[in-house]
Amino acid sequence: MTWHFALVIEPAASDSSQTVFADTFTVIDPAAPALSVGELSTQRGDGIFESVGVVDGHPQEVDAHLDRLAHSAKICDLPAPHREQWRQAVTTAAEHTPRRGEGVIKLILSRGVEHGPAPTAWVTSGSAPDFALARAHGVRVVTLDRGYGLDVPSRAPWLLLGAKTLSYAVNMAALREAKRRGADDAIFVTSDGFVLEAPTASLVLRVDGRFVTPAPNGGILHGTTQLSLFEHLEAQGLHTGYEVVPVSLMARADAAWLLSSVRLAAPITSIDGKDVPVDRELTASINEYLLSPRD
């Protein structure tokens, strides 16, 4: 991924009445050093982020991403982001993404520097990786035990499950383990046998004509792309649902997808070595929709 643009935000209080925030943005060289050695985002992964897909210069689902940024900030006891300030930062960054093709804007809010300025915030934009093969040919996945039961997020909120934090070491380790097992990606499952999500994506299953995703109450991120897809499917008269999904339900699916803001919809071709049917026509239609401008 090549970064073309970066700006640092001087975070405004969430209740600020300011309406124009250009003077709180400092454009920096995305290739130059920018963070203090005391920055807690790099020392401890103590912060949150969002990745906003961009299509032909249009940032996708900005409201949903700002909602989730605020949700993550609340879980992590970070100052609430000023919604309009971050929206204007996204608009500024979008002006520096390709006018044609796909890009990505990242929003980062960190606890800041220990005993120093806090919080710190910045936004970057650049070209997105090419996911054409994954969208067209699909991905093989394996299930990996996330190491906790379905009720743990409600019993132990200090684990920050359900927040999109910068602490992605476990997610990246899961992807490496999936590749060691001959797969492309992973699906996390609970130790008591329920489906969660992929390390960087939401899961959608089609079972008995219904589109189902695990309910976002077990430490699952509520996927912005999945939300948009469900609205699209419902507008076509199709049935969608949020459910507690046992691992056994995946064997009954006649199609399945991983959904994320940048990769979009990647059909799943196998789960733990067992083939999953691929609906190529529907997948192409879904990605056509996801590549259209969406607010």
Side-chain angles (χ1 to χ4, degrees):
M1 190 178 297
T2 301
W3 298 110
H4 303 304
F5 177 79
L7 63 80
V8 174
I9 299 174
E10 181 182 340
S14 60
D15 59 355
S16 169
S17 60
Q18 187 172 346
T19 58
V20 178
F21 291 93
D23 63 348
T24 68
F25 304 153
T26 301
V27 176
I28 61 173
D29 181 350
L35 297 177
S36 164
V37 294
E39 170 61 45
L40 295 177
S41 62
T42 55
Q43 287 195 2
R44 299 176 185 168
D46 195 355
I48 58 176
F49 78 101
E50 285 291 321
S51 296
V52 180
V54 182
V55 177
D56 295 338
H58 183 276
Q60 306 280 64
E61 300 154 345
V62 175
D63 280 332
H65 282 287
L66 294 179
D67 287 343
R68 197 164 65 180
L69 187 73
H71 178 68
S72 294
K74 183 176 181 180
I75 293 174
C76 295
D77 292 322
L78 286 164
H82 191 291
R83 191 178 188 89
E84 183 57 26
Q85 182 183 36
W86 285 86
R87 184 190 303 281
Q88 291 180 27
V90 170
T91 299
T92 301
E95 295 170 355
H96 297 269
T97 58
R99 296 297 92 190
R100 300 291 300 171
E102 297 175 54
V104 59
I105 294 172
K106 287 206 171 186
L107 319 179
I108 303 101
L109 177 62
S110 160
R111 203 168 302 279
V113 178
E114 192 166 20
H115 311 305
T120 57
W122 62 100
V123 172
T124 60
S125 68
S127 301
D130 184 355
F131 286 115
L133 288 178
R135 294 171 191 167
H137 300 293
V139 292
R140 300 161 297 169
V141 303
V142 292
T143 55
L144 296 179
D145 190 339
R146 190 64 174 86
Y148 60 77
L150 193 65
D151 66 339
V152 164
S154 61
R155 290 193 294 107
W158 51 87
L159 295 179
L160 306 183
L161 302 171
K164 194 173 179 68
T165 73
L166 294 170
S167 303
Y168 253 46
V170 170
N171 302 60
M172 297 301 100
L175 290 176
R176 292 192 297 272
E177 178 62 22
K179 294 183 188 305
R180 278 193 287 268
R181 299 187 186 193
D184 305 299
D185 213 319
I187 294 174
F188 284 131
V189 299
T190 66
S191 55
D192 48 355
F194 296 96
V195 179
L196 294 171
E197 60 190 346
T200 63
S202 304
L203 171 69
V204 170
L205 305 172
R206 187 177 65 189
V207 182
D208 299 329
R210 297 178 65 248
F211 294 84
V212 176
T213 193
N217 55 10
I220 298 173
L221 287 174
H222 207 163
T224 57
T225 307
Q226 171 267 311
L227 279 166
S228 182
L229 175 62
F230 271 24
E231 290 178 3
H232 175 65
L233 295 173
E234 290 161 6
Q236 298 180 60
L238 298 169
H239 296 287
T240 66
Y242 296 89
E243 299 180 5
V244 175
V245 177
V247 172
S248 59
L249 188 66
M250 290 193 291
R252 290 176 47 204
D254 60 26
W257 297 265
L258 294 184
L259 293 169
S260 58
S261 297
V262 181
R263 184 168 53 181
L264 304 183
I268 295 174
T269 61
S270 71
I271 301 175
D272 291 332
K274 296 180 180 179
D275 290 345
V276 176
V278 174
D279 188 330
R280 299 194 183 281
E281 183 177 354
L282 179 57
T283 299
S285 174
I286 288 172
N287 279 316
E288 182 180 8
Y289 163 71
L290 294 176
L291 284 166
S292 66
R294 289 172 291 117
D295 294 321

